[in-house]
Amino acid sequence: MVLYIMENKRSSTLIDICHSAGARAKAFFEHPENLMTEVKGRQDFVSQADREVEMLVRKLLREAFPDDTIVGEEHAPDLGTSGFTWVIDPIDGTTNFVNGIPAWTVVIAGVENGRTQIGVLHDPCLSETFVAEAGKGATLNGVPLRLNDERKIFEGTVGVGYSNRVEDDGILRLVTALVERGAMFHRNASGALSIAYVAAGRLLGYSEEHMNAWDCLAAQLIVAEAGGVVEDQDADEMIAKGGRVVVATPAVFDDLLAISETAFTR
């Protein structure tokens, strides 16, 4: 019972932090004329909002969980002593954000012993909050998510991701294979949101050759807890170097995994 209470406190605190971060980010989003943006690489941007929102999230996490480690996209790790690690992306979908496209989200995952234990995504533009705790299910705005989708790959849409950390050949082969199988493909430039959309039944699956931990861990847990299938990974390894991500409904996962393995083979 003590653990249950502690975990629920952790969940509610994390939701509050994401909502605070989302409000800060949305204030920037609504006034793009004041937003300073830098180009880190090909289709790789960072804005003043990314940095300031991450600093806010770090501050709130440190106040709530002072002994935990914090890892984020825009700043160096803040090491703790508890063995629990928070992995944060202040704005997943920065390309959308800086171009005025309302498809971006605040993401926080909690990792312990190589497994993601909790994940929250908050989309301020649509007022949608996805939450999952390991073994306790997933919700969207407090309503339980439970996948019961028997559609085949040619009966729906698969999300795809494109990373500038790998060569272009993989995504070209993936999209070609999906089209040949009769599937529709979708890319919204926010991998975290796309993965969460699998849990919500909006997409049949999602595949990307390389993702960083802050982009995927929380959403992967949400899919798994909603009854979807996630390619097994060690979360600590993902934090260290990232990796391939494939998630899908049970009816589609094996098919999408086979397509992805072929597409991403060099």
Side-chain angles (χ1 to χ4, degrees):
M1 180 61 71
V2 173
L3 178 63
Y4 179 81
I5 293 173
M6 179 186 72
E7 291 300 314
N8 273 276
K9 179 179 184 297
R10 177 178 280 166
S11 177
S12 62
T13 300
L14 200 58
I15 292 169
D16 289 343
I17 290 173
C18 283
H19 282 198
S20 295
R24 178 72 63 86
K26 193 175 181 184
F28 279 104
F29 183 72
E30 291 173 342
H31 296 281
E33 69 278 4
N34 300 325
L35 188 64
M36 294 183 291
T37 304
E38 300 172 20
V39 179
K40 295 193 291 185
R42 187 179 61 170
Q43 295 296 323
D44 191 7
F45 306 94
V46 60
S47 72
Q48 172 191 2
D50 292 272
R51 294 194 172 108
E52 290 196 17
V53 173
E54 181 166 321
M55 291 305 297
L56 172 63
V57 171
R58 285 172 177 263
K59 173 180 178 291
L60 296 175
L61 285 173
R62 177 61 60 222
E63 290 173 354
F65 311 108
D67 298 324
D68 296 348
T69 293
I70 302 173
V71 175
E73 182 175 11
E74 305 302 340
H75 300 277
D78 186 0
L79 300 180
T81 59
S82 69
F84 196 95
T85 300
W86 296 106
V87 184
I88 60 180
D89 191 342
I91 300 173
D92 182 68
T94 299
T95 299
N96 292 334
F97 187 91
V98 301
N99 286 291
I101 300 171
W104 51 272
T105 186
V106 178
V107 188
I108 307 179
V111 173
E112 189 173 39
N113 297 323
R115 311 303 297 180
T116 306
Q117 302 296 328
I118 186 170
V120 175
L121 276 75
H122 176 57
D123 176 352
C125 295
L126 294 180
S127 298
E128 290 190 335
T129 304
F130 295 83
V131 181
E133 290 188 67
K136 296 182 180 178
T139 60
L140 170 55
N141 288 350
V143 178
L145 293 171
R146 195 65 198 169
L147 282 171
N148 184 23
D149 194 334
E150 296 300 323
R151 288 179 296 166
K152 305 302 182 186
I153 200 164
F154 55 82
E155 296 177 302
T157 302
V158 173
V160 299
Y162 170 65
S163 170
N164 61 10
R165 292 174 292 277
V166 294
E167 297 298 325
D168 299 340
D169 297 0
I171 183 65
L172 295 174
R173 287 191 293 264
L174 176 65
V175 169
T176 299
L178 289 171
V179 171
E180 289 175 346
R181 296 295 301 274
M184 295 294 291
F185 64 91
H186 171 82
R187 170 165 162 75
N188 76 348
S190 171
L193 270 180
S194 292
I195 297 171
Y197 284 0
V198 177
R202 298 168 184 172
L203 296 174
L204 294 181
Y206 182 84
S207 176
E208 185 166 345
E209 187 170 359
H210 185 279
M211 297 186 77
N212 288 318
W214 42 79
D215 297 324
C216 63
L217 291 183
Q220 285 173 300
L221 180 65
I222 291 164
V223 170
E225 288 296 319
V229 185
V230 177
E231 186 173 17
D232 191 43
Q233 293 164 326
D234 183 289
D236 291 333
E237 284 289 308
M238 287 295 288
I239 292 171
K241 57 186 181 183
R244 183 178 74 188
V245 171
V246 180
V247 309
T249 64
V252 165
F253 180 79
D254 289 344
D255 207 2
L256 183 57
L257 180 61
I259 290 171
S260 301
E261 287 180 335
T262 300
F264 300 148
T265 298
R266 298 188 183 282

